Amino acid sequence: MADECVHILAPDPALAAALLAALPGRRCTVWTDEASARAGLPEATLLIAGSLPAGTAALAGRLRWVHALGAGVDTLLPELPAGAQLMRVTGVHEATMCEHAWALILALTRQLPVAVAQQDAQVWRRFPTASLAGRTLAVLGLGAVGGRIAAVGAAFGMRVVGTRRSGRPLPGVSELHPPAATREAIAAAEVVVVTLPLTPATRGLLGAELLAAMRPGARLIVVGRGGVVDEEALVERLRSGALAGAALDVTASEPPPPGSPLWGAPNLLLTPHIAGWSPDHVRRVAAVIAANLDRHDRGLPPLGLVDRDRGY
């Protein structure tokens, strides 16, 4: 009901303010750290959070509605009480993640890091670049984000293949594979884009074996969740020259710790988990959550309901 208190675990003051502004007239309690959250969890029934403190499942016996602050829910599921439903943010990140993925693809194929380095050194020297038209793009995870990336690839004149659990056809995608056939999807691709969520089924999916199955000289772009790619194996493939380049917007640890081989890996671009960001990102996330609270009040099915078994 609308008079229920909404608890918000949001260390970011700007995000907390946006959520409060999107929920006028509601009783809200904001927790800015995990210690205050643990103290209040036994009373919470409605919760908005990006992650859950350790022990939440045991503490939050009344919790029955949890809304994530983003599309990924791997930081919430392990501590989610059995009786609580979980929603993720939908409809906010798709366009910007597609744009960012293509910025990374084009930066790698047109060798923009080389151009930047030469400009810094005041060097004018031509270097070889790659073309996309007529090449093969593999998208692992043809959901809302992956589908947009695939459509742009088709517009570039690329042959597009990919993986999709449902098997439903997509415009511009010439070849669909089930997740179990990831090897077949990536084997002939010059560019592989990963938009997969982090679940028990996808954690470490692109390990040494599948990375070795990629075409020599291929490029790998990851904009889904960190932990899907074996980063140590990826660095080895880059150092050996087996892969022409890679770009990661997400990593297993964010940021990578000092001394991580990712920092110095050759032909690797790192961006700090910004693929889904836009100037009005916080406001749009808050609007989605407010709409789902309204649906909760009216007894309507929530949008973005997470399937616990699938992990998204």
Side-chain angles (χ1 to χ4, degrees):
M1 300 298 292
D3 61 346
E4 284 184 275
C5 182
V6 178
H7 290 81
I8 301 169
L9 175 52
D12 179 3
L15 179 57
L19 288 167
L20 292 174
L23 302 172
R26 284 189 177 272
R27 290 194 300 119
C28 297
T29 297
V30 177
W31 300 322
T32 57
D33 54 53
E34 289 193 357
S36 57
R38 285 194 185 90
L41 276 170
E43 300 302 317
T45 57
L46 309 177
L47 175 64
I48 301 168
S51 61
L52 293 175
T56 293
L59 287 170
R62 300 180 61 195
L63 196 59
R64 53 189 174 80
W65 189 97
V66 180
H67 209 298
L69 290 170
V73 295
D74 49 278
T75 57
L76 290 160
L77 278 171
E79 290 291 341
L80 189 71
Q85 63 179 187
L86 175 63
M87 282 67 62
R88 62 189 183 92
V89 173
T90 59
V92 171
H93 309 94
E94 291 82 353
T96 52
M97 288 186 70
C98 175
E99 292 169 7
H100 195 80
W102 277 101
L104 296 175
I105 293 168
L106 292 168
L108 289 178
T109 55
R110 304 306 296 180
Q111 295 258 51
L112 295 190
V114 174
V116 171
Q118 289 192 175
Q119 182 177 345
D120 287 344
Q122 299 186 35
V123 171
W124 183 272
R125 183 187 303 119
R126 289 186 175 182
F127 45 81
T129 61
S131 176
L132 295 173
R135 307 296 185 181
T136 297
L137 166 69
V139 181
L140 305 185
L142 284 164
V145 174
R148 292 181 77 120
I149 293 169
V152 175
F156 269 115
M158 302 186 77
R159 173 178 173 267
V160 183
V161 304
T163 61
R164 194 179 201 193
R165 182 183 292 273
S166 72
R168 290 193 302 272
L170 279 173
V173 179
S174 62
E175 196 175 293
L176 272 175
H177 297 269
T182 297
R183 175 187 288 272
E184 288 77 5
I186 67 175
E190 282 86 2
V191 178
V192 176
V193 180
V194 183
T195 67
L196 295 167
L198 183 61
T199 70
T202 65
R203 187 179 294 276
L205 174 67
L206 267 73
E209 185 178 349
L210 279 185
L211 290 173
M214 289 179 62
R215 181 179 182 138
R219 294 169 173 86
L220 176 69
I221 290 82
V222 185
V223 293
R225 298 293 281 181
V228 175
V229 176
D230 181 331
E231 293 167 359
E232 184 176 336
L234 173 61
V235 169
E236 288 304 311
R237 299 297 290 176
L238 290 168
R239 286 175 175 167
S240 71
L243 295 180
L248 307 179
D249 183 60
V250 289
T251 56
S253 296
E254 295 184 355
S260 166
L262 291 176
W263 293 115
N267 301 315
L268 176 64
L269 278 176
L270 294 175
T271 56
H273 203 148
I274 55 172
W277 189 87
S278 63
D280 61 349
H281 175 263
V282 172
R283 179 192 61 78
R284 294 181 66 197
V285 167
V288 169
I289 296 173
N292 253 344
L293 272 169
D294 180 64
R295 294 178 71 87
H296 168 266
D297 294 342
R298 293 188 288 150
L300 298 175
L303 303 175
L305 182 64
V306 173
D307 183 320
R308 284 178 181 250
D309 293 332
R310 291 185 177 179
Y312 60 89

